[in-house]
Amino acid sequence: MTAPLSTIDAPLSDADPFSYDILEDPLPFQAELRAAGPVVYLRKYDVYAMGRYDEVHAALTDWQTFQSAAGVGLSNFRYEKPWRPPSLLLEADPPHHDAPRAVLTKILGPREIRGLADAWAADAEELVEDLLAKGTEFDAVTDLAAAFPLRVFPDAVGIPKDGREHLLPYGDHVFNAFGPPNELVAKGAPRVAELSASIATKCARDVLTPDGFGAQIWAAADRGDITEAQAPLIIRSLLTAGVDTTVNGLAAVLYAFATNPDQWARLREDPALSRTAFDEAVRFESPVQTFFRTTARDIEIGGTVIPEGRKILMFLGSANRDPRRWENPDAFDLSRDPSGHVGFGFGIHQCVGQHVARLEAATILNALSKRIASIEISGPTRRHHNNTLRAWESLPVRVKLG
Ligand code: OVV
């Protein structure tokens, strides 16, 4: 149902941000959104939207006004039954959010995960050597960006080997399901029951290896930090949010380097830049493009009053390209300080897995920069469309060794 227009004082837009053309290249639409004002009303979905950095950042840090418990997709859980049991992290507000978040923040903390680094470095080097042994042309998405997280992350969680092929399709569907019920969601629907059941079996205590993230979450339940009912759902969050995101984050940084050879040369001169490079790629590409919030009270933003209980779409990708905040935002530039980008969100929900993602990225970039002098795109690139993710299907590349 669409609200009568007389009650809406925001600039109106008839665009569909989840349409084929905008998913293929969201940047022109995002520029229009930022130009139209701090808040825009999207008629097609009867929701508000924000595309400028300051307002997106402010909303992300004000969880009291911009709640998550009514869902961070288009669907408003106040009126619609969620398609799966809501995430205890993503789709929760304080106080319910706090215990699961505290447990996961500790398990995925920068010091706590340091023990993974050496084994991952060896895995990355082996993956790169095996790939280069086959030739200097490959697909940076399937052969690297997907292959590396799938090689290290499921083992780090401690799930069984069988059924790992369900991780990417399940994540793809979850991220589509935050959007409107369009053809991308319909495409995933036939497998939802099968994929959900497969993911659920991986969250049980007895299938997990003894010292992975999964077992550590069960240990937190044993200590009473979370309940036994919460443990499997928190593990589900790792399996949902930890794979497609890192795959597309790695694809983003590889694409950025393939199209900015001067920046690759800089990385090779100073390998310590690998972490900056990854965050700059997350800013530049914003693998997670959007999330919704729901207003918990009437709130005025830039002269527009958004009534209580309404959905508002935050364009993380647009905020990360806002020229009001970033100098030369459309450049992938290792000399900028990308910190403050909202590609991992901000505030109490900011990506709890970001240190794991950064470690994966730094590890694979280090392995590549040791062996590869230059990377170029060697054929037609193909985007993968998803209602939430800025994703890649294929990135054919040619590398020179040296
Ligand atoms: C950040 C994110 C994305 C998708 C799913 C979840 C979290 C989850 O907690 O299930």
Side-chain angles (χ1 to χ4, degrees):
M1 180 131 17
T2 303
L5 291 181
S6 58
T7 67
I8 292 160
D9 50 9
L12 309 176
S13 169
D14 285 312
D16 177 0
F18 306 99
S19 63
Y20 185 98
D21 288 349
I22 294 180
L23 293 179
E24 183 65 21
D25 177 10
L27 299 180
F29 161 72
Q30 291 173 0
E32 285 167 26
L33 186 69
R34 289 190 302 266
V39 176
V40 173
Y41 177 76
L42 302 179
R43 289 163 95 142
K44 183 169 167 92
Y45 296 114
D46 184 25
V47 299
Y48 296 83
M50 293 188 281
R52 296 184 185 175
Y53 179 89
D54 282 351
E55 287 77 17
V56 169
H57 183 270
L60 287 167
T61 43
D62 182 2
W63 58 266
Q64 290 94 337
T65 306
F66 298 92
Q67 13 175 258
S68 293
V72 298
L74 175 63
S75 173
N76 190 330
F77 295 174
R78 297 184 189 189
Y79 313 115
E80 287 182 80
K81 186 178 172 328
W83 70 274
R84 62 171 197 163
S87 164
L88 301 181
L89 292 135
L90 182 73
E91 296 159 324
D93 297 317
H96 309 287
H97 171 261
D98 300 341
R101 173 71 193 205
V103 163
L104 214 45
T105 299
K106 178 93 174 81
I107 293 170
L108 303 180
R111 283 175 304 282
E112 284 71 15
I113 65 168
R114 218 173 272 161
L116 295 166
D118 290 345
W120 283 11
D123 275 323
E125 283 178 20
E126 191 176 291
L127 177 67
V128 170
E129 286 317 314
D130 289 351
L131 193 54
L132 296 179
K134 288 189 270 172
T136 52
E137 286 191 34
F138 52 85
D139 193 313
V141 173
T142 50
D143 294 332
L144 277 177
F148 187 61
L150 284 172
R151 182 166 173 149
V152 298
F153 185 72
D155 283 342
V157 179
I159 63 170
K161 297 277 180 211
D162 60 278
R164 291 183 180 191
E165 71 280 9
H166 297 144
L167 291 168
L168 281 172
Y170 179 70
D172 188 53
H173 185 72
V174 171
F175 281 101
N176 273 327
F178 294 127
N182 59 13
E183 51 299 343
L184 292 169
V185 176
K187 174 192 74 163
R191 291 193 72 191
V192 170
E194 172 209 357
L195 296 174
S196 302
S198 172
I199 297 300
T201 64
K202 316 279 179 291
C203 303
R205 184 201 287 267
D206 56 306
V207 307
L208 293 159
T209 57
D211 43 32
F213 300 144
Q216 293 179 59
I217 290 166
W218 277 106
D222 292 342
R223 289 194 302 271
D225 295 346
I226 49 171
T227 68
E228 297 215 344
Q230 289 177 315
L233 274 175
I234 297 170
I235 298 169
R236 188 193 68 175
S237 283
L238 293 187
L239 300 178
T240 312
V243 191
D244 300 67
T245 48
T246 49
V247 167
N248 288 297
L250 295 184
V253 76
L254 294 171
Y255 176 72
F257 276 123
T259 49
N260 293 273
D262 53 326
Q263 301 301 307
W264 182 253
R266 277 185 84 162
L267 175 73
R268 291 199 86 205
E269 274 166 34
D270 183 3
L273 282 173
S274 60
R275 285 182 175 249
T276 302
F278 181 60
D279 271 80
E280 170 64 350
V282 171
R283 180 199 68 81
F284 184 72
E285 184 89 353
S286 303
V288 176
Q289 286 274 300
T290 47
F291 271 127
F292 290 83
R293 292 289 190 263
T294 308
T295 49
R297 61 178 174 91
D298 294 359
I299 167 93
E300 196 230 283
I301 304 172
T304 295
V305 177
I306 305 174
E308 192 272 341
R310 304 303 306 273
K311 285 276 171 173
I312 177 152
L313 181 51
M314 304 178 301
F315 283 85
L316 309 177
S318 175
N320 283 338
R321 298 273 192 140
D322 184 355
R324 295 164 190 77
R325 167 64 179 80
W326 308 97
E327 207 176 299
N328 204 1
D330 298 328
F332 172 73
D333 182 359
L334 300 192
S335 52
R336 92 163 75 237
D337 176 6
S339 59
H341 74 73
V342 292
F344 287 129
F346 227 87
I348 66 166
H349 292 282
Q350 191 181 41
C351 181
V352 74
Q354 62 184 281
H355 308 290
V356 180
R358 288 202 187 95
L359 181 62
E360 287 182 36
T363 306
I364 198 74
L365 287 175
N366 290 342
L368 292 168
S369 67
K370 279 185 201 164
R371 296 280 276 118
I372 291 172
S374 65
I375 313 173
E376 62 182 8
I377 300 292
S378 63
T381 62
R382 260 186 300 125
R383 287 278 174 187
H384 172 76
H385 288 198
N386 181 285
N387 283 333
T388 303
L389 301 170
R390 184 128 168 86
W392 288 103
E393 191 75 47
S394 177
L395 280 174
V397 295
R398 184 183 306 115
V399 299
K400 285 203 182 73
L401 304 184

